[in-house]
Amino acid sequence: MSDELDIKACGLIITRRNALQALGLAGIGVISLGRTDTAFGQEIGQPVKGGTLSIRISGDPPNFDMFSNSTLWSLATIAACYNSLVKFSPADPMKVVGDLATEWKLGDDGRSITFKLVKDARFHDGVPLTSADVKYTFDIARDPPEGTVSARKILLSAIETIDAVDEYTVRFNLKRPCPSLITTLATGWFVVAPKHILEAKGNMKEDVVGSGPYKFQQYTRGVSVELVRNPAYHVSDRPHLDGITFFIVPEASTAFSYLASGQVHIYDEIPSNYAKQAESEMRDLIKIHKKASYVGDPYTVNTRRKPFDDVRVRKALAMSINHAQAVQVVNAGDGELGGLLPSSPWGMAPGDLAGMPGYSPDVEKSRAVARELLADAGYSNGFDAKMVVRRGAGTHEARAIFLADQFAKIGVRLTLDLQESAAYFEKMQKHDFEIATNTVTSLANDPDFLLGDFHTTGGSLNYGGLSSKVIDDLFIAQSQEVDMAKRADLVHQLEKAIMEEYVTVILYFKNKYTGTSTRLQNYTMHPEPDNNRRMEDVWLTA
C-alpha cells in the first residue's frame, strides 16, 4: 500500500477547541478522562431507574457483525451492547472522552499511542476484557484474514502493529504521525469484540457479546430487536434503563404516529415536515432536535470528458448557482452553506466563503462572469450536456431539476438521465458520466474524512477524476500535522485549492432532525447519530 493511500486513511481529528488539552502542544502528555459524562450539567432532575426505551429503525439488520456491515440498522441495534477504546461525549459531539481507555498517551515522535484500560470490564458471557481482546479486534479490523470482510480497514491503515504491553495496556504503533486516529477510534463502529469468540467463529454475525451497558436478548425479524440491562456493567450505577427495544417500522408516517402516541421514544432522522409539525402542534409530547450534519448535497463534473477538462467551464458552472436559493428550493430550507467542509470548526468562515467564486451574494454579477468564461473557452452559445441522476434517493432528482435551471441561465442546457441506484453507482465508479448528482458524507467533521477520498488523486470516491499534486501534498501535510494551529492553516489552503478546481461543488450541508418523547431525559443529538447510540446515561420520566 502506498504512503499516500495510508495517509488518506488516517481518519478523524480532535477539534481545535479540544486539541490543546488532548494533544498537549506544549509537550504531548497523558490524557486522563472519566469514563462517562454524568448529568451533563443540565438541570433535569435526578435519574429515574427502570423503563424500556423504544427506538424506531426502518429496516432489519442483515446480521450483527460490526466488522463487515455498513448499514446503520446493524450498528443502531447493537451499539449499546459494546464499548470502544474512546468515544464522543454523549453531551458534546465535538469532544472525545475515554470509554474502555482510562487514559492514553501519544509517543514523543507521534508514532505510537498507548492506552491504559479499565480493569473491571467483562464481556456479557463473563470473560474479562483485556488488552488481548483490543489487539485481536483491531488486528482483524485493519488486516482481516482471507475470507473475513472489514468494511473500514482503510481507516486504520496508519497502524503498523499493535502490542499488548500487559494485561491492561495496549500500544498502537503507527507508520507515521496520525493525530486524527484518536477520533477515528471514537466513531461508532470501532468497538472492542471478544477474542475468544472471534477465534472460534471468525466473525460476530450471530453473536452479540460485548462489554456494554445492555445485553442482547431477542431478535424478531420484521418486528423488533430487544436489549436488556447489563447488571454487571463496569460503570457504576449505569445504565438507568431496564432495556431498549428497536421497533422495525419502514413507513415514515407510521413511525411518526408511534412517536406522537408515545409508543416510540426516539425517531432518528425524522423528515423535516414531521419535525415542523411536531414543533408547532405537539410540543408537550415531542421534542425536536436539529443539527447541521456532515452530509453535503453536491454535483460532480467529469474532468475526463470535454468540455469539463477546462477549468473555465467548470468555474462557469459553479458561478451560475444561487446557493441560498438551493437550500430553499431543493431541501425546504433545511441546510447550511459551506464550502467543502462545514463552517465549524475546520471550514471557511462565512465572510471568506462569500469571497469564493460562486458564493457571492450578487448572483447576477457572478453569472455575467460565468458567461464570459464560457465565451473565453469557446462556448459563447453555451453547450448541451447530460446529467446522471440517482432515481428516488434523497434530493438527487430535485437537485438535478434545480441545477438544470441554474445552468440554463448561462446557456448550458442539461438533459437528465435518471438511473436506479445500482446503475447509477456503476456509472459513477466507471466515470461514465459528464455531470452527476453526488453525495458527500462523513462519520465526523474532519478534513481527513471529508476531503481525502473525494478529492485526492486515486481517491475511491473521486468520481470526477481530480488530480493535483498541490492538493495531494497539502492533504498529506495536514493529515500528519500534530500542531493543531498549523494543521488548521494547511486545511484552509487545501479547501481553497480544491474549491478552485470546481470538480465537486457542494450546494449546502443538510440539517438533520431527531424526534424524541418529552419523557426522554439527558439525551443530546449528534450530527452523526451513529456516534451516540450507547444510551447508558439517559432515562425516562413517568
Side-chain angles (χ1 to χ4, degrees):
M1 184 174 289
S2 70
D3 284 355
E4 183 178 323
L5 184 58
D6 287 344
I7 287 298
K8 291 177 187 176
C10 268
L12 307 171
I13 189 72
I14 297 174
T15 63
R16 293 180 197 165
R17 180 161 58 89
N18 298 298
L20 293 176
Q21 69 183 44
L23 293 176
L25 298 185
I28 295 171
V30 174
I31 307 162
S32 297
L33 296 166
R35 301 181 203 166
T36 59
D37 293 70
T38 57
F40 310 147
Q42 300 178 31
E43 298 297 330
I44 50 180
Q46 294 299 311
V48 175
K49 291 292 185 182
T52 298
L53 181 68
S54 299
I55 301 176
R56 179 261 183 170
I57 58 172
S58 57
D60 286 273
N63 57 61
F64 297 109
D65 186 65
M66 299 289 272
F67 296 92
S68 60
N69 276 305
S70 58
T71 171
L72 66 87
W73 300 327
S74 292
L75 178 62
T77 52
I78 59 171
C81 297
Y82 289 91
N83 289 108
S84 304
L85 282 172
V86 293
K87 65 181 180 180
F88 289 103
S89 164
D92 184 354
M94 307 308 290
K95 181 180 180 182
V96 175
V97 298
D99 195 8
L100 289 171
T102 59
E103 62 183 51
W104 60 96
K105 183 178 181 180
L106 196 64
D108 291 339
D109 60 358
R111 293 175 181 266
S112 68
I113 309 174
T114 302
F115 298 90
K116 293 289 187 179
L117 306 179
V118 299
K119 296 183 178 180
D120 50 356
R122 290 180 176 271
F123 291 107
H124 296 157
D125 58 4
V127 176
L129 187 155
T130 70
S131 60
D133 298 290
V134 176
K135 173 177 166 55
Y136 200 86
T137 294
F138 285 98
D139 276 342
I140 285 183
R142 70 182 182 84
D143 187 21
E146 186 175 353
T148 299
V149 175
S150 177
R152 285 157 292 278
K153 66 179 182 180
I154 194 170
L155 302 180
L156 303 175
S157 64
I159 302 171
E160 187 166 28
T161 59
I162 301 174
D163 298 326
V165 179
D166 60 38
E167 194 171 13
Y168 295 105
T169 306
V170 63
R171 182 174 61 244
F172 286 27
N173 303 299
L174 310 182
K175 300 171 184 176
R176 62 191 60 81
C178 188
S180 59
L181 182 60
I182 285 292
T183 315
T184 300
L185 297 176
T187 57
W189 289 96
F190 289 110
V191 300
V192 175
K195 176 184 176 182
H196 60 284
I197 293 179
L198 285 171
E199 281 185 319
K201 297 190 175 182
N203 62 63
M204 302 293 293
K205 290 183 178 181
E206 298 179 358
D207 299 87
V208 184
V209 182
S211 60
Y214 298 92
K215 301 169 65 174
F216 180 85
Q217 184 177 48
Q218 180 174 298
Y219 169 41
T220 305
R221 179 168 291 278
V223 179
S224 64
V225 177
E226 299 174 48
L227 311 180
V228 296
R229 185 178 189 273
N230 175 14
Y233 190 45
H234 62 276
V235 178
S236 176
D237 200 33
R238 295 290 189 277
H240 302 304
L241 300 165
D242 289 334
I244 305 174
T245 299
F246 297 88
F247 288 106
I248 300 164
V249 186
E251 292 295 328
S253 58
T254 304
F256 183 60
S257 68
Y258 286 174
L259 179 65
S261 66
Q263 297 176 77
V264 164
H265 303 121
I266 299 179
Y267 183 170
D268 267 346
E269 299 192 38
I270 184 172
S272 62
N273 59 320
Y274 288 131
K276 292 170 183 176
Q277 181 182 349
E279 283 190 311
S280 64
E281 301 174 9
M282 306 175 187
R283 287 179 175 271
D284 57 332
L285 299 173
I286 298 172
K287 180 177 180 179
I288 297 298
H289 311 254
K290 176 183 176 181
K291 292 284 186 181
S293 75
Y294 309 140
V295 180
D297 273 355
Y299 71 88
T300 294
V301 298
N302 189 350
T303 61
R304 299 171 177 85
R305 300 278 185 93
K306 289 186 177 297
F308 308 109
D309 58 341
D310 190 326
V311 69
R312 293 171 295 180
V313 172
R314 303 196 300 266
K315 183 175 181 179
L317 293 179
M319 293 187 74
S320 75
I321 297 168
N322 185 330
H323 286 261
Q325 190 179 65
V327 176
Q328 299 300 322
V329 173
V330 180
N331 208 44
D334 289 320
E336 306 292 335
L337 296 188
L340 296 172
L341 299 166
S343 60
S344 177
W346 295 105
M348 289 187 184
D352 294 334
L353 185 65
M356 293 295 294
Y359 290 88
S360 168
D362 191 342
V363 180
E364 291 308 317
K365 182 178 179 180
S366 293
R367 288 172 179 160
V369 174
R371 295 184 194 100
E372 293 175 4
L373 286 166
L374 287 181
D376 289 344
Y379 299 97
S380 56
N381 295 319
F383 59 88
D384 297 319
K386 183 182 289 187
M387 173 176 276
V388 171
V389 183
R390 188 179 174 195
R391 185 192 297 273
T395 66
H396 281 259
E397 292 179 52
R399 206 182 324 154
I401 294 169
F402 176 80
L403 288 169
D405 173 72
Q406 301 288 286
F407 294 165
K409 297 182 187 302
I410 62 168
V412 177
R413 300 167 292 275
L414 280 189
T415 299
L416 305 186
D417 179 16
L418 271 65
Q419 297 284 338
E420 299 299 332
S421 292
Y424 165 85
F425 284 115
E426 183 177 2
K427 282 183 172 290
M428 297 297 282
Q429 289 159 5
K430 291 182 176 180
H431 309 282
D432 182 19
F433 66 93
E434 294 179 335
I435 311 178
T437 55
N438 198 358
T439 300
V440 170
T441 186
S442 172
L443 290 175
N445 183 359
D446 185 86
D448 280 4
F449 265 38
L450 283 159
L451 300 181
D453 275 347
F454 291 98
H455 307 288
T456 54
T457 301
S460 62
L461 300 174
N462 183 358
Y463 299 128
L466 174 60
S467 181
S468 163
K469 186 177 186 303
V470 170
I471 289 170
D472 294 345
D473 288 349
L474 280 170
F475 183 85
I476 292 170
Q478 66 80 31
S479 189
Q480 296 182 89
E481 181 55 68
V482 298
D483 183 310
M484 292 301 101
K486 292 180 180 178
R487 187 182 186 216
D489 288 341
L490 290 168
V491 169
H492 295 328
Q493 295 176 49
L494 174 61
E495 183 181 21
K496 187 173 185 292
I498 297 171
M499 289 179 68
E500 289 176 344
E501 292 289 345
Y502 313 100
V503 177
T504 291
V505 177
I506 296 177
L507 304 185
Y508 52 80
F509 285 90
K510 290 182 175 181
N511 290 327
K512 285 185 180 180
Y513 295 89
T514 293
T516 64
S517 166
T518 52
R519 293 181 57 207
L520 181 65
Q521 303 295 311
N522 221 22
Y523 171 81
T524 298
M525 180 187 177
H526 282 212
E528 176 44 71
D530 285 349
N531 295 336
N532 187 28
R533 297 195 183 276
R534 194 69 54 76
M535 301 299 170
E536 64 185 276
D537 297 302
V538 304
W539 66 86
L540 294 169
T541 59

